[in-house]
């Protein structure tokens, strides 16, 4: 182990991460759950998730980190500091979408790891301990709610509620955690601050030729499970006027979700991502359809108006098509604003390193959204190719990933030097 020195402001100048090592670690991790099309399928709390967790824990232990695992499976790795202060946090998630990419989540975790490795390279011991956290079930694809681990950490959900959530096969979060050996008992640490690097997952930075996004906040989200019940009937003898066609009702709801987003201001988004039809037979009028609605907006009151409009549309479709339509809200968090001082710290770090930067709002939810309810938090965005994510073709440039990691390193060191003096 090289001799450890406390930070001298001068040694910080020219401090850079090892971009090649970062890229190699990302590509090694991406092999766990790799898909033939070049993406990653590593659903939360599957054996593949467990395998990725164990790999990254080994890498974190190599940096001298102590490892704690809390009751929802969040992994907290702590590199000791020279003073008894709350850790400075970094991190993100390792779980992916079913047709996910190599960078969503993984970049934030491995950028934090690269910061620890770079501190080791330069023999630097920070005043604060420095943490890397791997949050459980950020994606919300296999289990709802989305951002589950960070939500429990922030008190947005109870542990009991989350452990009881079930996937489509009826498997509970609690059983899945046990199965991969990550049902922990450790207390989750408080943090002095939290920085989460992430690819933007949208087109703005790339389109403007900007390297760093200092993220001011994230859109609010409201998710619904919708069940439409009509009546199975024969596709031939059943006259049109007699039909109670749940799939026709669903089609009208899907069109309404898009129209409501188009008709509302404040960066409105509306998506139906899941649809299941029963009995799903070509010559049976479907009597039962389940679908999901994902609404987002920059203003909470506009988000509420969008939901009101959806409820009104569903009531009108139920009446006109003689259907029963039930809406169950499964996720709600209002628009979030990150800590202004940390956002400025990120901007200043980008400027000191000579990177183009701009302030930006996240269309995606992230663990930092819930962490921000407990501690000062901010995010660092880097561009992704074509603004595409949640897709196997997701891609990012090594130099952008390294730049975001250098900004993370610079921001952590600046916070460590200036905070709690
Ligand atoms: O849905 C989101 O915004 C994130 O990918 N969980
Ligand atoms: Mn993510
Ligand atoms: Mn995602």
């Amino acid at each position: 182990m090289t001799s450890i020195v406390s930070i001298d402001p001068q040694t910080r100048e020219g401090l850079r991460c090892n971009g090649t090592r970062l890229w190699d670690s990302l590509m090694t991790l991406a092999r766990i759950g790799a898909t033939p099309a070049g993406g990653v399928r590593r659903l939360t709390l599957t054996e593949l998730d467990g395998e990725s967790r164990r790999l990254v824990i080994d890498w974190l232990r190599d940096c001298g980190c102590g490892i704690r695992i809390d009751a929802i499976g969040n992994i907290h790795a702590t590199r000791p500091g020279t003073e008894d202060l709350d850790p400075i946090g970094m991190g993100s998630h390792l779980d992916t979408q079913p047709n996910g990419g190599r960078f969503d989540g993984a970049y934030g975790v491995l950028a934090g790891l690269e910061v620890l490795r770079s501190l080791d390279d330069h023999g630097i011991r920070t005043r604060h301990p420095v943490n890397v956290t791997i949050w459980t079930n950020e994606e919300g694809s296999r289990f709802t709610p989305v951002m589950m681990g960070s939500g429990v950490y922030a008190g947005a959900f109870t542990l009991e509620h989350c452990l009881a959530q079930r996937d489509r096969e009826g498997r509970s979060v609690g059983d899945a955690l046990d199965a991969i050996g990550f049902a922990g008992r450790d207390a989750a640490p408080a943090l002095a601050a939290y920085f989460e690097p992430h690819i933007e997952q949208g087109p703005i930075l790339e389109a403007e030729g900007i390297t760093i996004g200092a993220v001011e906040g994230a859109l609010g989200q409201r998710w619904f499970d919708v069940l439409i019940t009509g009546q199975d009937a024969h596709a031939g003898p059943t006259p049109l006027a007699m039909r109670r066609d749940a799939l026709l009702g669903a089609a009208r709801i899907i069109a309404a979700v898009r129209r409501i987003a188009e008709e509302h201001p404040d960066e409105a988004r509306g998506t139906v991502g899941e649809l299941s039809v029963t009995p799903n037979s070509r010559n049976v009028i479907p009597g039962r359809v389940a679908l999901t609605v994902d609404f987002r907006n920059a203003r909470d009151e506009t988000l509420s108006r969008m939901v009101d409009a959806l409820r009104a549309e569903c009531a009108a479709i139920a009446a006109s098509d003689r259907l029963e339509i039930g809406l169950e809200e499964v996720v709600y968090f209002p628009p979030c604003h990150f800590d202004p001082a940390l956002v400025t710290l990120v901007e200043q770090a980008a400027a000191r390193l000579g990177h183009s930067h701009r302030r930006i709002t996240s269309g995606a939810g992230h663990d930092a959204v819930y962490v921000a309810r407990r501690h000062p938090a901010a995010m660092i965005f880097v561009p992704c190719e074509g603004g595409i994510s949640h897709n196997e073709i997701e891609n990012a440039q090594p130099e952008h990933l390294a730049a975001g990691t250098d900004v993370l390193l610079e921001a952590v060191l600046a916070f460590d030097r200036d905070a709690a003096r």
Side-chain angles (χ1 to χ4, degrees):
M1 176 74 127
T2 44
S3 66
I4 295 289
V5 294
S6 61
I7 289 187
D8 165 353
Q10 271 55 50
T11 58
R12 280 185 37 222
E13 292 316 310
L15 203 55
R16 296 290 185 274
C17 75
N18 181 329
T20 304
R21 178 173 58 194
L22 170 64
W23 181 264
D24 291 348
S25 296
L26 280 163
M27 293 308 108
T28 301
L29 176 62
R31 286 205 287 268
I32 302 175
T35 62
V40 179
R41 177 186 178 86
R42 199 167 54 222
L43 291 182
T44 191
L45 302 185
T46 57
E47 190 36 52
L48 287 172
D49 186 16
E51 188 183 340
S52 68
R53 287 161 166 255
R54 288 187 288 275
L55 170 67
V56 178
I57 282 173
D58 285 347
W59 284 341
L60 289 163
R61 283 207 168 102
D62 292 345
C63 297
C65 290
I67 303 294
R68 282 176 281 191
I69 297 169
D70 67 26
I72 194 66
N74 296 320
I75 299 163
H76 310 274
T78 305
R79 181 183 190 264
T82 56
E83 296 177 31
D84 180 18
L85 297 166
D86 284 342
I88 301 170
M90 306 176 285
S92 193
H93 60 95
L94 294 178
D95 63 303
T96 74
Q97 288 287 332
N99 291 352
R102 298 171 294 169
F103 305 99
D104 176 1
Y107 170 53
V109 173
L110 296 192
L113 171 69
E114 178 53 35
V115 162
L116 302 188
R117 287 170 166 171
S118 299
L119 292 174
D120 282 350
D121 288 348
H122 295 85
I124 291 175
R125 181 66 59 192
T126 50
R127 294 171 52 236
H128 294 75
V130 186
N131 254 37
V132 172
T133 300
I134 301 167
W135 302 102
T136 293
N137 185 29
E138 189 280 341
E139 291 293 358
S141 175
R142 180 184 178 196
F143 298 105
T144 53
V146 70
M147 296 129 65
M148 181 184 276
S150 50
V152 169
Y153 176 79
F157 318 117
T158 65
L159 174 66
E160 293 66 31
H161 171 77
C162 291
L163 292 176
Q165 294 309 297
R166 294 185 181 279
D167 64 11
R168 290 173 201 80
E169 285 69 49
R171 193 85 184 272
S172 73
V173 167
D175 289 349
L177 271 172
D178 283 334
I180 64 168
F182 279 92
R185 297 177 182 279
D186 300 327
L191 299 171
Y194 176 76
F195 297 93
E196 180 167 350
H198 208 288
I199 54 172
E200 179 200 338
Q201 301 181 294
I204 296 170
L205 293 178
E206 184 185 58
E208 295 182 6
I210 290 178
T211 304
I212 299 294
V215 188
E216 293 183 291
L219 299 184
Q221 298 190 23
R222 294 185 71 167
W223 288 13
F224 292 85
D225 286 345
V226 181
L227 181 61
I228 304 141
T229 308
Q231 185 176 50
D232 291 2
H234 198 302
T238 313
L240 296 183
M242 194 176 128
R243 296 180 177 208
R244 296 178 54 218
D245 185 338
L247 190 49
L248 181 62
R252 291 183 168 141
I253 291 170
I254 293 166
V257 166
R258 175 59 182 256
R259 189 173 62 249
I260 289 167
E262 287 167 346
E263 290 170 354
H264 283 78
D266 306 323
E267 294 201 62
R269 308 280 195 276
T271 310
V272 174
E274 283 186 48
L275 181 80
S276 66
V277 182
T278 306
N280 207 33
S281 168
R282 67 182 66 238
N283 51 356
V284 176
I285 300 161
R288 187 178 190 280
V289 173
L291 58 83
T292 61
V293 175
D294 173 330
F295 271 156
R296 305 189 186 203
N297 202 280
R299 292 167 54 84
D300 204 27
E301 49 278 19
T302 310
L303 197 51
S304 297
R305 291 209 313 273
M306 292 171 71
V307 172
D308 293 345
L310 174 68
R311 292 190 191 283
E313 287 278 354
C314 287
I317 294 164
S320 64
D321 293 24
R322 295 178 302 119
L323 299 168
E324 284 136 48
I325 302 177
L327 282 74
E328 183 195 353
E329 185 157 23
V330 292
V331 168
Y332 164 57
F333 56 87
C336 131
H337 304 285
F338 292 132
D339 181 85
L342 294 192
V343 176
T344 301
L345 206 61
V346 167
E347 272 183 319
Q348 290 169 342
R352 264 202 301 280
L353 292 164
H355 293 305
S356 56
H357 56 90
R358 58 158 281 172
R359 291 190 170 217
I360 192 168
T361 297
S362 176
H366 298 284
D367 293 306
V369 167
Y370 279 136
V371 177
R373 293 193 181 183
R374 259 188 73 170
H375 306 304
M379 294 189 73
I380 302 164
F381 272 3
V382 295
C384 58
E385 203 165 290
I388 295 291
S389 181
H390 285 192
N391 184 315
E392 293 171 281
I393 66 167
E394 179 186 277
N395 196 21
Q397 297 308 313
E399 57 272 19
H400 288 154
L401 299 170
T405 306
D406 285 337
V407 170
L408 176 65
L409 175 57
E410 183 75 15
V412 165
L413 291 176
F415 182 90
D416 182 56
R417 186 199 59 215
D418 301 340
R421 274 271 182 231

